[in-house]
Amino acid sequence: MRIKEEYRKEITVNKSVFIACVRTCRTEDEARAYIDSIRNEFRDATHVCTAYQCGPNQSIQRSNDNREPSGTAGMPMLEAIRNSGLEDVCACAVRYFGGIKLGTGGLVRAYGGCISEALKEAPKCEDLICHQYTVTYPYALSGTIETWLRKYANIRNMMYDEQVSCLFETDRDDIEQTIRDLSRGAAQAVFVKDVIVEKEIIC
């Protein structure tokens, strides 16, 4: 499971404004590029602290306190990422100092908390392996087969010639038998390939 698109969350703690910016970064180069873009966007911020994990088995893990006291920003942010259950995450926490010092515990809670909230609220998705098929059938079966496909599959293309031809994708494993049953043997689903489809997760 991963973040579908960049998400931002703003919180205020004792007059300091924290802006959590999170997105999917599959490689360390992507994470560094994202961090650079956030730091360029918020050039006037007091701090832009960062953390990310990515790579095979999430083996690449980095954090940076960006001049905050050691261990009060980057590590709590990285811990929030680890506890989120998400893969390939890069997080930046932008801070505008409000004039009141938060102390070590306050910084840990603020940085870790803003990232944790952002990761919880961010739209999420996952890669789903689907089977791609084609099926050709007479117009007399359009009502039956097309209605079923629109309900249980993702139609990629429909062609109307002497017969109807459809290219579709589904994660179901009973397609060939189902099409035979629906058409009483008049149509046959032909496997094309497996494809990876992004599926949004509703939390």
Side-chain angles (χ1 to χ4, degrees), residues 10-137:
E10 181 178 316
I11 66 170
T12 301
V13 181
N14 285 349
K15 298 184 178 181
S16 279
V17 176
F18 293 83
I19 305 170
C21 308
V22 297
R23 64 161 288 181
T24 293
C25 290
R26 296 180 184 274
T27 66
E28 191 161 23
D29 286 344
E30 285 184 13
R32 288 173 174 169
Y34 180 59
I35 290 168
D36 287 343
S37 72
I38 295 298
R39 287 183 170 158
N40 285 331
E41 181 179 350
F42 297 96
R43 289 172 184 251
D44 60 338
T46 313
H47 305 277
V48 179
C49 304
T50 63
Y52 59 87
Q53 70 171 18
C54 59
N57 300 315
Q58 306 300 291
S59 58
I60 300 172
Q61 300 187 4
R62 306 278 188 269
S63 64
N64 188 296
D65 294 312
N66 193 228
R67 304 185 314 279
E68 290 282 30
S70 179
T72 61
M75 281 306 297
M77 292 166 60
L78 184 57
E79 194 62 26
I81 294 172
R82 290 169 177 162
N83 292 334
S84 70
L86 297 168
E87 296 182 343
D88 300 327
V89 175
C90 182
C92 299
V94 178
R95 183 190 183 190
Y96 288 92
F97 181 55
I100 301 174
K101 293 185 177 181
L102 303 183
T104 300
L107 289 172
V108 169
R109 288 189 294 273
Y111 279 105
C114 73
I115 296 303
S116 182
E117 287 186 32
L119 293 175
K120 183 178 179 180
E121 296 176 9
K124 300 170 184 68
C125 65
E126 64 181 348
D127 288 335
L128 186 67
I129 297 177
C130 285
H131 317 300
Q132 192 174 85
Y133 285 90
T134 60
V135 61
T136 300
Y137 51 88

Side-chain angles (χ1 to χ4, degrees), residues 76-201:
M77 292 166 60
L78 184 57
E79 194 62 26
I81 294 172
R82 290 169 177 162
N83 292 334
S84 70
L86 297 168
E87 296 182 343
D88 300 327
V89 175
C90 182
C92 299
V94 178
R95 183 190 183 190
Y96 288 92
F97 181 55
I100 301 174
K101 293 185 177 181
L102 303 183
T104 300
L107 289 172
V108 169
R109 288 189 294 273
Y111 279 105
C114 73
I115 296 303
S116 182
E117 287 186 32
L119 293 175
K120 183 178 179 180
E121 296 176 9
K124 300 170 184 68
C125 65
E126 64 181 348
D127 288 335
L128 186 67
I129 297 177
C130 285
H131 317 300
Q132 192 174 85
Y133 285 90
T134 60
V135 61
T136 300
Y137 51 88
Y139 281 90
L141 291 174
S142 290
T144 301
I145 295 180
E146 188 171 331
T147 298
W148 189 91
L149 289 173
R150 292 195 181 280
K151 185 174 181 180
Y152 295 106
N154 180 27
I155 295 176
R156 287 296 185 185
N157 189 34
M158 297 286 290
M159 294 183 61
Y160 299 93
D161 201 347
E162 292 183 3
Q163 295 192 89
V164 181
S165 295
C166 177
L167 175 68
F168 65 94
E169 297 164 356
T170 179
D171 60 344
R172 295 176 62 128
D173 294 321
D174 60 347
I175 290 301
E176 295 178 24
Q177 184 62 50
T178 298
I179 294 297
R180 280 196 295 269
D181 292 345
L182 287 171
S183 67
R184 296 185 179 179
Q188 181 177 347
V190 178
F191 176 76
V192 178
K193 62 182 179 180
D194 283 335
V195 295
I196 297 177
V197 177
E198 185 180 274
K199 178 185 178 183
E200 185 171 355
I201 297 173

